Amino acid sequence: MSEIANTGLAESGPMHRIAQRGSCAVPAYLIADEIITDQDTFDEYKRQVLPTITAHGGRFLSRGGALEVLESGKDWTPGRMVIIEFPSMEALKRWYHSPEYVAIMGIRQRSTQSTLVALDSGGVV
């Protein structure tokens, strides 16, 4: 690895990503599939949720953007899709179980039909 470090390649490219897997936390993603059933209540949730996400290092990667199902081997019609990146699975779970988020989770549950999935990056950074 020292030869790679001397070339500057240790800071980018596939070797850096491989080296980082064992030594650093990898990002994790919250993927939400939502059907909004009460827009006014959901708007209140949206106003309150952002500070709880950023407090745990999270950031939105996609928030209800246009989507197209390219393949589906089962009966699935996605609703509003959201992807939030966290620094690690631990950070994602700390956010989800935090008192601040738990206090507003019911607002989302009352205003949507949701499926939430936590996915780590599988070591790809």
Side-chain angles (χ1 to χ4, degrees), residues 4-125:
I4 293 172
N6 292 335
T7 66
L9 293 175
E11 296 163 4
S12 65
M15 292 305 290
H16 175 69
R17 289 188 286 275
I18 292 169
Q20 293 296 314
R21 287 182 193 167
S23 61
C24 294
V26 295
Y29 305 94
L30 177 85
I31 302 171
D33 180 0
E34 306 170 319
I35 297 172
I36 299 169
T37 56
D38 180 341
Q39 188 65 55
D40 291 339
T41 302
F42 187 73
D43 287 345
E44 181 59 31
Y45 169 77
K46 287 191 332 185
R47 281 190 287 278
Q48 294 185 42
V49 74
L50 184 58
T52 72
I53 292 168
T54 57
H56 291 270
R59 68 184 183 109
F60 285 95
L61 297 182
S62 181
R63 196 177 196 180
L67 65 88
E68 178 181 347
V69 177
L70 299 177
E71 292 186 25
S72 180
K74 59 183 181 176
D75 186 24
W76 178 57
T77 304
R80 178 182 186 271
M81 300 294 295
V82 175
I83 303 172
I84 305 171
E85 179 183 58
F86 286 89
S88 65
M89 184 63 76
E90 293 77 20
L92 187 158
K93 289 180 179 179
R94 277 194 304 271
W95 164 76
Y96 184 78
H97 296 291
S98 70
E100 299 81 14
Y101 184 67
V102 169
I104 63 170
M105 183 187 301
I107 300 171
R108 177 185 50 79
Q109 292 170 338
R110 286 191 307 275
S111 61
T112 67
Q113 296 172 354
S114 301
T115 300
L116 276 61
V117 176
L119 173 70
D120 77 26
S121 66
V124 178
V125 291

